[in-house]
Amino acid sequence: MTKERLQPVQDGGEWQPRDPESATRWKQISSEGGFPDPLLELIAARFRLLGEPLRLKLLAALTGGERSVGELVALTGASQPNVSKHLAALMQGGLVKRRKVGTSIYYTLADPSVLTLCDIVCAGVQERFTTLAQTLQLGSAMALEDLPPVEESEISGSGPRQ
């Protein structure tokens, strides 16, 4: 989510969606006794779908509209079997839908709300790295691609224990 669709919170430290109702749904339901386990499983499954970089690439490619499998292979640089496997998972999860024309299959986004989620996560990552750069006194002009790579263990917290 871009900062145009976000606004600073009163304390100035974090960003939230401009629609306050959507920002409070999670808090309201969890404060009213929590979510039922089956709903939490569905939410977790949606997040697991988005936990694969190639699937995120595919979703990003589909933001421009319907694309064939061949186009998606060319755009992502992945093999056709790999692209097809991930498209099947995204389709089963309800994030994309497909249309067959002759021997070609075309995919499009089925749930555009996933783009809002990706926007929010991207804004959070960008804010984190901006804060990190400022903390390290590197200045805000530093681009995201100029930062050192983040190790998998830093993201998942599964690094070696000291």
Side-chain angles (χ1 to χ4, degrees):
M1 183 174 287
T2 61
K3 287 194 177 180
E4 297 85 53
R5 296 191 314 200
L6 295 170
Q7 65 184 12
V9 179
Q10 291 298 335
D11 66 17
E14 57 185 271
W15 293 83
Q16 289 188 350
R18 288 192 183 277
D19 173 15
E21 183 178 321
S22 67
T24 60
R25 285 187 198 120
W26 181 266
K27 292 176 188 174
Q28 179 184 3
I29 292 172
S30 62
S31 68
E32 292 174 352
F35 293 88
D37 287 344
L39 178 57
L40 288 173
E41 285 299 322
L42 289 172
I43 293 167
R46 175 67 52 103
F47 280 109
R48 281 191 298 275
L49 270 176
L50 299 174
E52 176 62 44
L54 180 54
R55 291 183 194 155
L56 295 174
K57 263 189 180 178
L58 291 167
L59 291 172
L62 292 172
T63 61
E66 183 178 73
R67 300 217 187 248
S68 70
V69 174
E71 290 173 306
L72 292 167
V73 166
L75 287 168
T76 61
S79 69
Q80 186 275 324
N82 202 17
V83 166
S84 293
K85 175 184 80 169
H86 288 289
L87 286 169
L90 290 169
M91 194 174 83
Q92 184 177 4
L95 296 181
V96 301
K97 56 186 173 182
R98 72 183 207 158
R99 177 176 71 91
K100 189 171 183 177
V101 178
T103 58
S104 297
I105 299 175
Y106 295 87
Y107 286 85
T108 188
L109 289 174
D111 183 357
S113 72
V114 73
L115 300 179
T116 302
L117 179 58
C118 290
D119 283 347
I120 291 168
V121 172
C122 286
V125 168
Q126 198 169 27
E127 183 69 25
R128 176 178 173 256
F129 281 112
T130 300
T131 302
L132 178 61
Q134 290 169 349
T135 300
L136 297 173
Q137 299 178 354
L138 298 174
S140 60
M142 184 178 203
L144 184 59
E145 57 270 8
D146 294 334
L147 290 171
V150 177
E151 298 296 323
E152 177 81 19
S153 61
E154 291 181 69
I155 296 170
S156 65
S158 61
R161 296 188 186 261
Q162 307 260 337

